[in-house]
Amino acid sequence: MQAFDASSILYAWDNYPVAQFPGLWAWMANRVAQGMISMSVVAIEEVGHKAPECVNWLDEAGIERLPVTEAILLESLRIKGLLEIEEDRYGGGVDENDLLIIATAKLHQLELVTDEAFQAKLPKLRHNYKIPAVCNFDTVGVKWVGFLGYLKRSGAVFG
């Protein structure tokens, strides 16, 4: 089961329009209906700011909205500490919403589908780590995959 980040659902929405790739979106809707795809309410809000019609599609498909709980807030604060982020001084990496999305995936034991940039060479300052680098921390341990990797791994064929 996967939790989608805003970056991945927006990547799919922008690059694979529903009208041109109806098979892909029918497959995605089926996975949503089966409870295999969910999203943090924070990620859905981010999508809504950029593509309200995508949120409409998600709602029609029946997306499970994962709420921000006290446990998720505490986990996001723990991760924030690992990244040495003080107060609201985020660097060029994750922001508060990203930490909530990662914490949601961790506590729900979901793989995170994200199209945030993979950093082959990690920045010296931890507050510049992007989502994949944060997920890879031993004490975070959230599995992640990009949207194309998710599609390829599925073996699904859209004809």
Side-chain angles (χ1 to χ4, degrees):
M1 294 176 42
Q2 287 78 29
F4 268 63
D5 179 26
S7 65
S8 284
I9 200 71
L10 288 169
Y11 171 86
W13 191 257
D14 291 343
N15 290 288
Y16 303 97
V18 175
Q20 292 178 278
F21 296 89
L24 167 65
W25 290 97
W27 177 77
M28 291 278 289
N30 184 48
R31 294 181 72 83
V32 167
Q34 292 177 17
M36 298 176 75
I37 295 175
S38 59
M39 290 181 74
S40 166
V41 294
V42 174
I44 293 172
E45 288 171 6
E46 285 184 9
V47 172
H49 294 301
K50 296 179 181 173
E53 64 282 0
C54 182
V55 174
N56 292 339
W57 182 90
L58 289 165
D59 286 337
E60 288 174 16
I63 193 74
E64 180 183 4
R65 293 171 177 252
L66 302 172
V68 176
T69 64
E70 184 177 348
I72 288 169
L73 286 171
L74 291 172
E75 180 60 17
S76 71
L77 284 173
R78 186 188 73 80
I79 297 169
K80 184 177 179 180
L82 292 173
L83 296 174
E84 302 167 354
I85 298 169
E86 296 178 11
E87 297 176 11
D88 288 336
R89 290 191 290 267
Y90 293 90
V94 294
D95 61 18
E96 185 175 347
N97 283 351
D98 294 333
L99 294 178
L100 292 168
I101 290 164
I102 294 166
T104 299
K106 179 176 178 63
L107 294 183
H108 286 275
Q109 299 178 342
L110 300 170
E111 178 180 49
L112 185 59
V113 181
T114 182
D115 277 271
E116 287 268 330
F118 173 74
Q119 298 164 298
K121 183 177 181 198
L122 292 176
K124 290 181 183 180
L125 300 174
R126 288 183 174 184
H127 66 262
N128 289 327
Y129 283 20
K130 297 201 177 285
I131 289 176
V134 176
C135 288
N136 287 342
F137 266 65
D138 287 340
T139 58
V140 175
V142 172
K143 291 182 181 182
W144 66 274
V145 65
F147 183 75
L148 285 177
Y150 173 71
L151 279 182
K152 289 177 182 179
R153 185 182 68 200
S154 77
V157 177
F158 311 103

